[in-house]
Amino acid sequence: MQRTAFRRMLIGAMLAASPLLIGSKGFAAPQHALAMTGAPALPDGFDHLPYANPDAPKGGALKLGEVGTFDSLNPWILLGRPATGISQYVTESLMARSINEPFTLYGLLAESVDTDAARSYVEYTLRPEAHFSDGKPVTVEDVIWSYKTLGEHGHPRYRNAWAKVKDIRQTGPRSVRITFNAPDRELALLMGMRPILEKAQWAGKDFEATTDMVPVGSGPYVVDQVSNGRFISFKRDPDWWGKDVNFNHGLWNFDTIRHEYFKDGNVIFEAFKAGDVDAWREMSDARWQNNYNFAAAQSGEIVKDEIPHARPSGIDGLVMNTRNPLFKDWRVREALTEVFNFEFINKTLNNGAEPRVISFFSNSELGMQPGPASGKVKALLAPFADQLAPGTLEGTPLPVSDGREMNRKNTRKALKLLEDAGWTVARDGVLRNASGQPFQFEILLRQGGGYGSGPYDPQSVVDIYVQALERIGVKARVTTIDDAQYVQRARNYQFDMTWYWRALSLSPGNEQMLYWGSAGVAQPGSWNYMGMASPAAEAMIRHMLAATDHDDYVAAVRALDRILTQGRYVIPAWYSKSTRLAHKSSLHYPETLPVYGDWPGFMPDTWWYEADK
């Protein structure tokens, strides 16, 4: 039943994505939603999201586990490690995304949105009933202050788009208009997704340095209890203004949500088995098949669900920091990719069940197509042909081994590439350059894992890889440090190689510049861990933002994907085509599944508690 409903939603989403990007006409009047691809699937006055259950009962408590620790209640700045849940549960934005429609936003704090054909501005009108949890109304003044503060003093993820804002001003008692200074069609949507904070609460506070203040928001929950680094809990606001807004029908059903922090994923799993955590996302097919024979699972108190999705894979694997001269040469990066024996690792750790990440947008129409570039993709890349990594236009696939541990054929290829780059195996068995310097580097890992892709630790992958590197004379030193140290070093790119995970959506846009733009080579806090500075990649991102045709947009993303994938910056591991969730049988979710949803977005947003019968 669930899979059938999922397929229906997938077909509907694909059809919704097929028309040309809106832009030939402006709005005749303010609208309830804003689409970048086609038209909004849901009409004005819709009752609820298709994947929500409007009859879901309210009540119950949800306990979830997190890897690591936290020391900040301010998730909107670079300083500190923010607690999970504040942005998701406590604050709201003017518009909200349906996870069935990656290019569509619906009104949340805003009752309507307006723009012109060129998307040179966007104007939002606030709902008159919207108020913060302390009872004060959400005003245009709060909106303007929030946008300026985030754009000028917030995390780097807010600053890129803010640089394209010419003006923000009040146009009516409940209306605010943002005018842009650059052609970027996504901005009208992107600006609708900023968190709205209460200006009065931050009076006299240094926004960039304040990490210990419980923020006031307008969302469904308020912060209940905090034990720094140990747990944070939220309770549903009985006076939440938005409970009757159609977008929210059937969402946010738990009375309380508590996030407990643990040393590593293994400890969380043990807590789950003991009943102290209510749900667990399993990242390994082998563990999914073999590790659920404990009492609660056998009795039916714990149930297992595989939930299909159509999300891009994103990238998950070992990233090489090209700020280190050792990794500057593409031949070196390609050689280290050859040595990574994915087929043997996958067979050893996953029974060979998981598909490999073969591009940054695997599992979606946005991923690069096999073989040579053609058509619009080729035309976009052609002006940069002399700057591109080898294989970009040709579409050289990732190395494939015979699945045996020694991986001899790929090892020979790696040694030839390294020799071409000036590295040979000396008499002592160590790979050295002409000056006699050994090929050695550090692999930095976070204690317990918790990189964002799920509660698993890549240590086992790295252990196998290090042994393979030793066979060609490379010394890789593995350093495992605690969460606080890891965050500090990763934000400042103080590593040679580390595990890297980055989710990528079906509506990539401005955030891609934060991920791959050259500013991130030196600017702390970006996701440009590899340190790439590629004019070609930045040009593809600009093409994405300027596209007025769906095919042009897809071509630009596929071209960007080729640059990223063929650059061999990341040695990719695997992804799952379904989300494996084990959970208490008292937790339920709607029969109709979201097409692109994951945790969060799907869990805990749409779930509810129902006492065991």
XYZ file of all heavy atoms in Angstrom, residues 274-320:
364
model
N 17.378 -0.909 24.406
C 16.914 -0.896 25.793
C 15.627 -0.108 25.993
O 15.085 -0.083 27.099
C 18.014 -0.331 26.693
N 15.139 0.558 24.919
C 13.900 1.316 25.026
C 14.077 2.765 25.421
O 13.092 3.476 25.648
N 15.336 3.241 25.497
C 15.585 4.619 25.909
C 15.578 5.594 24.732
O 15.603 6.807 24.935
C 16.932 4.710 26.637
C 16.935 3.900 27.935
O 15.867 3.826 28.571
O 17.995 3.347 28.284
N 15.600 5.076 23.517
C 15.463 5.864 22.294
C 14.372 5.203 21.471
O 14.270 3.973 21.433
C 16.799 5.908 21.508
C 16.613 6.529 20.144
C 17.851 6.687 22.302
N 13.527 6.010 20.823
C 12.310 5.479 20.191
C 12.469 5.083 18.736
O 11.648 4.325 18.212
C 11.189 6.514 20.292
C 10.771 6.782 21.730
O 11.017 5.915 22.592
O 10.209 7.862 21.994
N 13.480 5.610 18.051
C 13.635 5.324 16.622
C 15.104 5.319 16.266
O 15.920 6.020 16.882
C 12.889 6.352 15.779
N 15.427 4.528 15.265
C 16.824 4.373 14.845
C 16.867 4.254 13.334
O 16.159 3.452 12.736
C 17.424 3.115 15.491
C 18.723 2.666 14.923
C 18.924 1.677 14.007
C 20.018 3.180 15.231
N 20.270 1.546 13.723
C 20.976 2.457 14.471
C 20.475 4.191 16.089
C 22.328 2.711 14.530
C 21.842 4.444 16.147
C 22.748 3.711 15.387
N 17.702 5.064 12.707
C 17.903 4.991 11.259
C 19.114 4.114 10.993
O 20.235 4.456 11.372
C 18.111 6.380 10.672
C 18.304 6.367 9.166
C 18.556 7.763 8.646
N 18.806 7.747 7.217
C 19.133 8.829 6.508
N 19.244 10.000 7.096
N 19.346 8.742 5.212
N 18.885 2.985 10.344
C 19.951 2.023 10.092
C 20.614 2.312 8.751
O 19.953 2.381 7.721
C 19.390 0.602 10.100
C 20.418 -0.480 9.876
C 21.530 -0.431 10.901
O 21.289 -0.826 12.064
O 22.626 0.032 10.532
N 21.939 2.442 8.770
C 22.680 2.788 7.569
C 23.301 1.583 6.876
O 23.793 1.691 5.755
C 23.779 3.802 7.912
C 23.267 5.069 8.564
S 22.061 5.962 7.569
C 23.038 6.406 6.151
N 23.304 0.439 7.525
C 23.958 -0.741 6.967
C 22.950 -1.837 6.677
O 22.208 -2.260 7.570
C 25.016 -1.267 7.951
O 25.441 -2.574 7.602
N 22.952 -2.315 5.433
C 22.047 -3.401 5.081
C 22.408 -4.672 5.842
O 21.518 -5.430 6.249
C 22.101 -3.670 3.579
C 21.137 -4.759 3.157
O 19.931 -4.479 3.080
O 21.605 -5.888 2.923
N 23.705 -4.902 6.053
C 24.121 -6.101 6.786
C 23.580 -6.077 8.215
O 23.061 -7.083 8.721
C 25.640 -6.214 6.792
N 23.684 -4.941 8.875
C 23.142 -4.842 10.240
C 21.621 -4.935 10.233
O 21.015 -5.500 11.138
C 23.609 -3.530 10.889
C 25.092 -3.480 11.194
C 25.423 -2.366 12.177
N 25.064 -1.050 11.673
C 25.907 -0.224 11.083
N 27.167 -0.586 10.898
N 25.513 0.961 10.665
N 21.020 -4.365 9.197
C 19.558 -4.413 9.076
C 19.073 -5.851 9.000
O 18.032 -6.201 9.548
C 19.149 -3.634 7.836
C 17.687 -3.428 7.603
C 16.942 -3.954 6.599
C 16.801 -2.595 8.360
N 15.645 -3.511 6.674
C 15.520 -2.672 7.748
C 16.949 -1.796 9.485
C 14.407 -1.982 8.230
C 15.854 -1.095 9.970
C 14.607 -1.204 9.355
N 19.850 -6.681 8.328
C 19.457 -8.077 8.168
C 19.794 -8.927 9.391
O 19.098 -9.910 9.677
C 20.152 -8.680 6.937
C 19.862 -7.964 5.628
C 18.390 -7.935 5.269
O 17.629 -8.825 5.628
N 17.978 -6.874 4.563
N 20.844 -8.550 10.126
C 21.378 -9.461 11.134
C 21.302 -8.987 12.579
O 21.459 -9.810 13.494
C 22.854 -9.750 10.814
C 23.041 -10.353 9.439
O 22.267 -11.218 9.031
N 24.059 -9.896 8.717
N 21.072 -7.698 12.831
C 21.217 -7.174 14.189
C 19.896 -6.896 14.905
O 19.884 -6.198 15.920
C 22.041 -5.878 14.173
C 23.513 -6.142 13.935
O 23.880 -7.214 13.474
N 24.357 -5.170 14.254
N 18.807 -7.438 14.394
C 17.506 -7.115 14.998
C 16.824 -8.374 15.557
O 15.620 -8.580 15.379
C 16.622 -6.389 13.975
C 17.136 -4.995 13.703
C 18.187 -4.780 12.818
C 16.621 -3.900 14.381
C 18.699 -3.515 12.596
C 17.124 -2.619 14.165
C 18.162 -2.439 13.273
O 18.672 -1.175 13.070
N 17.637 -9.143 16.256
C 17.099 -10.339 16.897
C 16.992 -10.173 18.414
O 16.877 -11.144 19.145
C 17.976 -11.555 16.576
C 19.446 -11.320 16.936
O 19.798 -10.254 17.456
N 20.278 -12.303 16.651
N 17.027 -8.929 18.884
C 16.895 -8.683 20.317
C 15.432 -8.777 20.727
O 14.518 -8.773 19.875
C 17.515 -7.335 20.707
C 17.035 -6.146 19.914
C 15.955 -5.387 20.330
C 17.686 -5.786 18.732
C 15.528 -4.283 19.605
C 17.266 -4.687 17.997
C 16.178 -3.936 18.440
N 15.203 -8.812 22.020
C 13.879 -9.161 22.556
C 12.779 -8.230 22.065
O 11.705 -8.693 21.658
C 13.933 -9.170 24.084
N 12.998 -6.930 22.107
C 11.941 -5.986 21.732
C 11.552 -6.123 20.268
O 10.380 -5.955 19.907
C 12.385 -4.553 22.024
N 12.517 -6.445 19.418
C 12.217 -6.639 17.992
C 11.464 -7.940 17.770
O 10.543 -8.010 16.937
C 13.500 -6.614 17.177
N 11.832 -8.975 18.497
C 11.172 -10.265 18.333
C 9.748 -10.245 18.881
O 8.871 -10.945 18.359
C 11.986 -11.358 19.029
C 13.320 -11.639 18.337
C 14.120 -12.734 19.016
O 14.039 -12.919 20.229
N 14.896 -13.466 18.232
N 9.505 -9.425 19.897
C 8.166 -9.377 20.497
C 7.206 -8.485 19.722
O 5.994 -8.513 19.972
C 8.266 -8.869 21.942
O 8.623 -7.484 21.965
N 7.718 -7.667 18.801
C 6.871 -6.739 18.059
C 6.821 -5.358 18.664
O 6.179 -4.457 18.106
N 7.489 -5.158 19.790
C 7.538 -3.813 20.380
C 8.310 -2.867 19.470
O 8.025 -1.673 19.401
C 8.198 -3.876 21.754
C 8.275 -2.531 22.460
C 9.008 -2.607 23.794
O 9.274 -3.727 24.276
O 9.324 -1.535 24.344
N 9.302 -3.412 18.759
C 10.061 -2.683 17.754
C 9.690 -3.234 16.384
O 9.649 -4.451 16.184
C 11.574 -2.832 17.978
C 12.001 -2.191 19.300
C 12.365 -2.251 16.808
C 11.830 -0.682 19.338
N 9.414 -2.347 15.427
C 9.108 -2.761 14.062
C 10.111 -2.119 13.111
O 10.715 -1.088 13.418
C 7.669 -2.381 13.659
C 6.664 -3.115 14.514
C 7.458 -0.872 13.762
N 10.287 -2.749 11.953
C 11.229 -2.273 10.935
C 10.461 -1.866 9.686
O 9.623 -2.617 9.201
C 12.231 -3.377 10.598
C 13.132 -3.794 11.737
C 13.805 -5.125 11.440
C 14.695 -5.052 10.218
N 15.344 -6.354 9.924
N 10.788 -0.673 9.164
C 10.152 -0.197 7.934
C 11.220 0.268 6.954
O 12.146 0.999 7.329
C 9.201 0.972 8.216
C 7.891 0.515 8.822
O 7.364 -0.523 8.395
O 7.400 1.189 9.752
N 11.079 -0.157 5.712
C 11.913 0.371 4.632
C 11.061 1.334 3.816
O 10.062 0.931 3.209
C 12.458 -0.754 3.759
C 13.463 -1.637 4.484
C 14.212 -2.550 3.530
O 14.616 -2.070 2.456
O 14.380 -3.727 3.874
N 11.459 2.583 3.819
C 10.647 3.644 3.238
C 11.338 4.152 1.975
O 12.411 4.767 2.045
C 10.442 4.772 4.253
C 9.759 4.211 5.516
C 9.614 5.899 3.658
C 9.753 5.149 6.689
N 10.771 3.896 0.795
C 11.422 4.306 -0.455
C 11.419 5.819 -0.627
O 10.605 6.541 -0.054
C 10.565 3.627 -1.529
C 9.219 3.496 -0.899
C 9.468 3.247 0.566
N 12.354 6.304 -1.428
C 12.433 7.742 -1.681
C 13.049 7.968 -3.059
O 13.584 7.039 -3.674
C 13.270 8.441 -0.602
C 14.711 8.027 -0.593
N 15.636 8.499 -1.495
C 15.387 7.163 0.208
C 16.816 7.965 -1.257
N 16.693 7.137 -0.235
N 12.966 9.186 -3.521
C 13.556 9.548 -4.815
C 14.513 10.723 -4.645
O 14.603 11.597 -5.495
C 12.454 9.910 -5.809
N 15.245 10.725 -3.543
C 16.193 11.802 -3.275
C 17.517 11.557 -3.987
O 17.944 10.415 -4.143
C 16.486 11.913 -1.774
C 15.297 12.246 -0.920
C 15.738 12.481 0.517
N 16.542 11.388 1.053
C 16.046 10.286 1.590
N 14.739 10.120 1.652
N 16.841 9.345 2.067
N 18.209 12.632 -4.394
C 19.579 12.449 -4.875
C 20.446 11.862 -3.767
O 20.214 12.103 -2.576
C 20.027 13.875 -5.229
C 18.763 14.637 -5.418
C 17.762 14.026 -4.485
N 21.462 11.104 -4.174
C 22.329 10.463 -3.192
C 23.110 11.454 -2.361
O 23.438 11.190 -1.198
C 23.314 9.543 -3.922
O 24.159 10.316 -4.767
N 23.422 12.638 -2.943
C 24.416 13.480 -2.298
C 25.774 12.811 -2.396
O 25.970 11.845 -3.127
N 26.719 13.328 -1.656
C 28.069 12.755 -1.684
C 28.429 12.277 -0.291
O 28.164 12.949 0.700
C 29.104 13.769 -2.216
C 30.437 13.078 -2.512
C 29.248 14.953 -1.291
C 30.380 12.089 -3.669
N 29.002 11.090 -0.211
C 29.343 10.476 1.062
C 30.634 9.694 0.857
O 30.666 8.724 0.092
C 28.207 9.534 1.496
C 28.211 9.237 2.981
O 29.106 9.729 3.679
O 27.307 8.515 3.439
N 31.720 10.120 1.490
C 32.984 9.424 1.304
C 34.143 10.206 1.875
O 33.970 11.080 2.731
N 35.335 9.919 1.409
C 36.560 10.548 1.895
C 36.944 11.708 0.987
O 37.154 11.528 -0.220
C 37.686 9.522 1.943
C 37.588 8.504 3.091
C 38.488 7.308 2.814
C 37.956 9.152 4.423
N 37.027 12.898 1.557
C 37.364 14.084 0.782
C 38.840 14.404 0.954
O 39.405 14.281 2.038
C 36.496 15.293 1.201
C 36.732 15.691 2.647
C 36.737 16.487 0.278
N 39.486 14.806 -0.156
C 40.885 15.214 -0.143
C 40.960 16.733 -0.159
O 40.338 17.385 -1.003
C 41.608 14.610 -1.350
C 41.786 13.117 -1.265
S 42.370 12.356 -2.805
C 40.806 11.887 -3.571
